[in-house]
Amino acid sequence: MIKDPGFRLYLITDRKILHRRGQEDALLEALEGGVRAVQLREKDLSIMELLDMAYRLRELTDRYNARLFINDRIDIALAAGADGVHLGNSSIPAKAARKAAGGKMLIGVSTHSIEEAKKAERDGADFITLGPIYETPSKMEYGRPLGTEILNRAKKEISVPIFAIGGINQDRVEEVLDSGAYGIALISAILASEDIKTTTERFMRLLG
């Protein structure tokens, strides 16, 4: 039985796509709309800028009983009191991250194939993102879309929750869930929308 991580919509930050909003204002709208897991992923910031943002987002997510994940930086996750860390291809293995965090954090891992997903599970990931499922500008570096078929296979071979990522809009939520995804990871579908709160509410309804 899959262990529930406590959320089915995983929102990943990208302050560069926001419409006339600051990062915190945009995330506040998303949290008001029902988001309960946010990954801080701003790779171009300095360590001090990222730490400052992590502190501010920790305060914001706490107000809504939402989980905060930090992309790649275990040190910043620990300093900010985040709930978890999210690891990429060039990051340390999940088991090493868990040891560094003293076993106190959830560990998410980005994967782009069945093989990577299996390795992440073996290494101790609590959940994975898998994609890109559909074509999307933010994931062009990972090549052609994987398609929903990979979700069917992944569900049969992997026991941790799978969050589909890449090109997912409201019309595609039912398809990825029916194909085996536990939840969805979103960036622009929420953050680039004109009405973030309403858009988030619609996604939450689709996720049940």
Side-chain angles (χ1 to χ4, degrees):
M1 184 174 180
I2 290 178
K3 185 177 179 181
D4 179 10
F7 54 91
R8 296 186 72 191
L9 197 163
Y10 189 43
L11 180 62
I12 302 169
T13 72
D14 184 351
R15 70 191 191 286
K16 296 178 182 179
I17 64 172
L18 301 176
H19 286 305
R20 303 180 301 279
R21 299 178 180 89
Q23 174 100 287
E24 290 172 69
D25 288 340
L27 292 177
L28 177 61
E29 290 185 48
L31 290 163
E32 289 177 345
V35 162
R36 292 298 174 262
V38 175
Q39 181 199 146
L40 174 55
R41 184 181 184 273
E42 303 290 346
K43 293 185 175 183
D44 62 322
L45 294 181
S46 69
I47 292 175
M48 291 308 298
E49 289 172 327
L50 190 63
L51 181 59
D52 180 63
M53 188 173 288
Y55 283 139
R56 287 186 278 120
L57 294 193
R58 174 73 289 180
E59 183 178 346
L60 190 60
T61 51
D62 273 346
R63 280 162 42 193
Y64 288 85
N65 195 29
R67 294 188 171 182
L68 175 65
F69 293 81
I70 308 298
N71 186 69
D72 208 39
R73 297 299 302 252
I74 300 171
D75 52 347
I76 289 178
L78 287 168
D83 300 286
V85 66
H86 194 95
L87 306 173
N89 283 341
S90 59
S91 306
I92 64 174
K95 57 186 174 184
R98 189 175 303 284
K99 183 176 181 180
K104 298 177 182 179
M105 288 187 178
L106 288 171
I107 309 295
V109 178
S110 295
T111 67
H112 311 95
S113 67
I114 292 293
E115 292 69 29
E116 288 182 8
K118 287 182 175 180
K119 182 179 185 303
E121 182 179 28
R122 289 196 303 271
D123 283 344
D126 292 298
F127 65 94
I128 64 168
T129 58
L130 179 60
I133 301 303
Y134 305 100
E135 188 171 328
T136 177
S138 67
K139 296 291 182 181
M140 292 293 284
E141 63 187 289
Y142 300 110
R144 294 169 59 85
L146 301 175
T148 55
E149 296 81 8
I150 197 170
L151 296 171
N152 274 298
R153 182 180 169 194
K155 185 177 181 181
K156 295 174 183 176
E157 301 185 32
I158 298 164
S159 60
V160 297
I162 301 161
F163 288 78
I165 189 170
I168 298 169
N169 56 34
Q170 293 175 41
D171 294 334
R172 290 168 167 169
V173 172
E174 183 177 2
E175 182 177 30
V176 296
L177 295 181
D178 288 347
S179 297
Y182 178 84
I184 56 176
L186 302 176
I187 305 174
S188 61
I190 284 179
L191 295 180
S193 64
E194 290 289 344
D195 186 338
I196 290 177
K197 182 176 183 290
T198 298
T199 299
T200 303
E201 289 171 341
R202 289 170 179 164
F203 273 110
M204 295 303 297
R205 285 195 293 269
L206 290 168
L207 288 165

